[in-house]
Amino acid sequence: MNRSRITRVAAVGAASALALGFAACSSEGGGDNDNGDSVTITWWHNATSDPLKGIYEEVAAEFEAENPGVKVEVTGYQNEDLQRTLIPNALQSGDAPDVFMVWPGGEVRAQAEAGHLMDLTDVASESIEAMGASVAPWTVEGKVYAVPYAFGAAGIWYNQELFDEAGIEGTPETLAELEDAVEALKAIDVEPIAVGAGDLWPAGHWWYQFAVASCPTDVLETAIPEHDFTDPCWIEAGERLQDWIANEPFNNGFLATPAQTGADSSNGLIANRTAAMEFMGPWNAGTIGNLTEDGEVPEWLGWFPFPSVDGASGDPGAIMGGGDGFGVSADAPDEAVELLKYIVSEDVQRRFAESGAGVPTHPAAADALTDPNLQASAAALSEATYVQLWIDSALGPAFGAPLNQAVVNIFAGSGTPQDVVAALEQTAASQ
């Protein structure tokens, strides 16, 4: 995000901004069509539902129509399966998809250093230039290895009608006010907050947020890239999470609740008005809308930034967020680069913004963002004094699973704040 008031983005060294058995890379005839053979490009993304899934299918069909002889096999997978299992296994097997989703920070660094990603700096220079500073989190040692298509802030999505029924005026600005809202919602027999802890990462978001609140920015800036978790703020994050869980703010059965699949998911509980709030990324409008009866984003859906945490040492103006980009496999055919350019083009980015699926990264598409909640999320990002990437993404691919599992153990009452730090230190030692 090229927003003037974002002063730093953590863990990327930038001064601005912000199975396996699948047919994978499959350029028939050796990876190009110089000899007249047809070329098949494989494209993996994380959109498993509309509107984004449909947009990507349209993009693939349009690219095929404009490029005779090129076939695009586009497939959407559940986010964590894609990032934690399918892509790593494909990269290790040497049979990677040609175009695939790449997370920023430590994630892109690890894939670039392993030689899995094509250096896009020159071959996609116009697309990169158009994106401005938003490419910084996907830049490693001055080279751009993926081009972002979405970047936004995390926040709390809520049902305004349920807030009204509970007598909640305005939106909580402090954690104490959020606790008051939780109690008011309980009083009208509404589950206050939905969390898809069954998928691990939504629970992880809560610990990440308490870490952002607990750790001064200089600690976040140095500790994450250096994998140094000796500052007491990391323990404090877990202690604050424990205190918050003691309020019993989450939905019944949250340990087995998935995030985005079906009526019983945390998204579904918001869509069917069983729960009133969910702490989630900017994609939530689209995924909740997909689970409503009419398939539309409900008019009662609102958004507000995560409340400030009294007594915490972190920057109260800091916000957490992140984005998704697309990279190209190191040995992909030229047509894969052209597909990437089309995916991040102004035209496709405007359709992405208009769909309400997320906040686009192309500056020329910003005015196509019509969803008021996404506009609020984008505004909060632009006003933040510090932007921390999702901590699992900032740390790198090895950290996500053990970190999120340790956090879920706190949710389950079987883990401690010290266990989370121990998981981080053990993962760092194994690198």
Side-chain angles (χ1 to χ4, degrees):
M1 300 271 89
N2 182 15
R3 292 184 165 83
S4 59
R5 294 188 60 185
I6 296 176
T7 56
R8 290 165 290 173
V9 173
V12 297
S16 62
L18 28 171
L20 282 145
F22 296 124
C25 176
S26 57
S27 301
E28 297 177 4
D32 61 62
N33 66 352
D34 291 343
N35 58 5
D37 291 342
S38 62
V39 173
T40 298
I41 301 171
T42 48
W43 172 18
W44 289 3
H45 59 73
N46 68 341
T48 56
S49 60
D50 289 331
L52 193 52
K53 181 174 181 288
I55 291 175
Y56 285 159
E57 290 170 349
E58 290 175 1
V59 168
E62 291 161 1
F63 188 80
E64 289 177 341
E66 290 296 319
N67 296 273
V70 178
K71 178 177 176 55
V72 180
E73 293 183 347
V74 55
T75 311
Y77 299 103
Q78 194 278 332
N79 190 57
E80 289 297 294
D81 291 343
L82 177 66
Q83 288 292 340
R84 297 301 179 214
T85 303
L86 301 179
I87 290 175
N89 287 350
L91 294 175
Q92 288 298 323
S93 72
D95 195 20
D98 298 306
V99 178
F100 56 97
M101 202 175 81
V102 177
W103 281 346
E107 301 275 349
V108 66
R109 175 177 291 278
Q111 292 175 355
E113 291 178 346
H116 296 311
L117 295 173
M118 182 183 294
D119 176 6
L120 301 169
T121 311
D122 295 327
V123 296
S125 59
E126 291 186 6
S127 297
I128 292 168
E129 183 179 355
M131 291 295 175
S134 65
V135 299
W138 285 267
T139 302
V140 179
E141 304 297 335
K143 298 179 179 178
V144 179
Y145 287 95
V147 182
Y149 69 90
F151 200 105
I156 294 183
W157 298 81
Y158 73 102
N159 184 321
Q160 181 64 62
E161 292 181 350
L162 293 179
F163 267 40
D164 292 341
E165 291 176 24
I168 301 169
E169 297 182 357
T171 54
E173 296 183 356
T174 67
L175 197 61
E177 291 179 359
L178 183 61
E179 184 177 347
D180 290 342
V182 165
E183 294 306 317
L185 289 160
K186 287 180 181 177
I188 62 169
D189 295 325
V190 169
E191 295 187 342
I193 301 176
V195 60
D199 283 337
L200 304 185
W201 56 270
H205 287 177
W206 282 87
W207 183 88
Y208 308 164
Q209 183 62 51
F210 282 119
V212 172
S214 302
C215 297
T217 53
D218 62 328
V219 173
L220 294 171
E221 286 181 312
T222 57
I224 291 176
E226 295 176 4
H227 297 168
D228 176 4
F229 308 104
T230 55
D231 194 284
C233 71
W234 302 105
I235 296 290
E236 292 170 10
E239 292 172 342
R240 286 193 165 87
L241 176 59
Q242 279 186 318
D243 291 343
W244 179 247
I245 294 171
N247 296 318
E248 299 183 349
F250 298 115
N251 60 286
N252 292 325
F254 59 80
L255 289 175
T257 300
Q260 299 170 339
T261 51
D264 293 333
S265 68
S266 55
N267 274 181
L269 295 177
I270 300 298
N272 60 33
R273 296 168 52 90
T274 299
M277 293 183 276
E278 183 179 24
F279 179 47
M280 192 54 73
W283 56 81
N284 231 30
T287 53
I288 288 174
N290 188 58
L291 293 173
T292 59
E293 289 185 359
D294 60 4
E296 300 291 335
V297 177
E299 293 185 0
W300 45 254
L301 187 65
W303 181 93
F304 59 90
F306 195 91
S308 62
V309 179
D310 294 339
S313 300
D315 179 354
I319 200 166
M320 184 172 68
D324 295 324
F326 282 114
V328 177
S329 178
D331 58 355
D334 294 342
E335 289 82 357
V337 177
E338 296 306 311
L339 174 61
L340 170 66
K341 293 176 182 177
Y342 186 53
I343 294 170
V344 299
S345 66
E346 177 182 343
D347 171 60
V348 174
Q349 281 270 283
R350 292 189 70 85
R351 287 148 62 187
F352 171 65
E354 290 166 354
S355 75
V359 180
T361 50
H362 198 302
D367 64 356
L369 198 61
T370 58
D371 184 293
N373 295 315
L374 293 182
Q375 290 174 337
S377 174
L381 192 67
S382 69
E383 295 168 0
T385 54
Y386 183 82
V387 179
Q388 173 60 55
L389 292 175
W390 306 109
I391 289 181
D392 60 341
S393 297
L395 287 168
F399 287 85
L403 170 58
N404 293 336
Q405 183 61 64
V407 172
V408 168
N409 291 344
I410 291 181
F411 273 73
S414 59
T416 67
Q418 291 77 11
D419 291 339
V420 175
V421 174
L424 291 169
E425 292 176 336
Q426 290 166 7
T427 306
S430 68
Q431 299 300 292

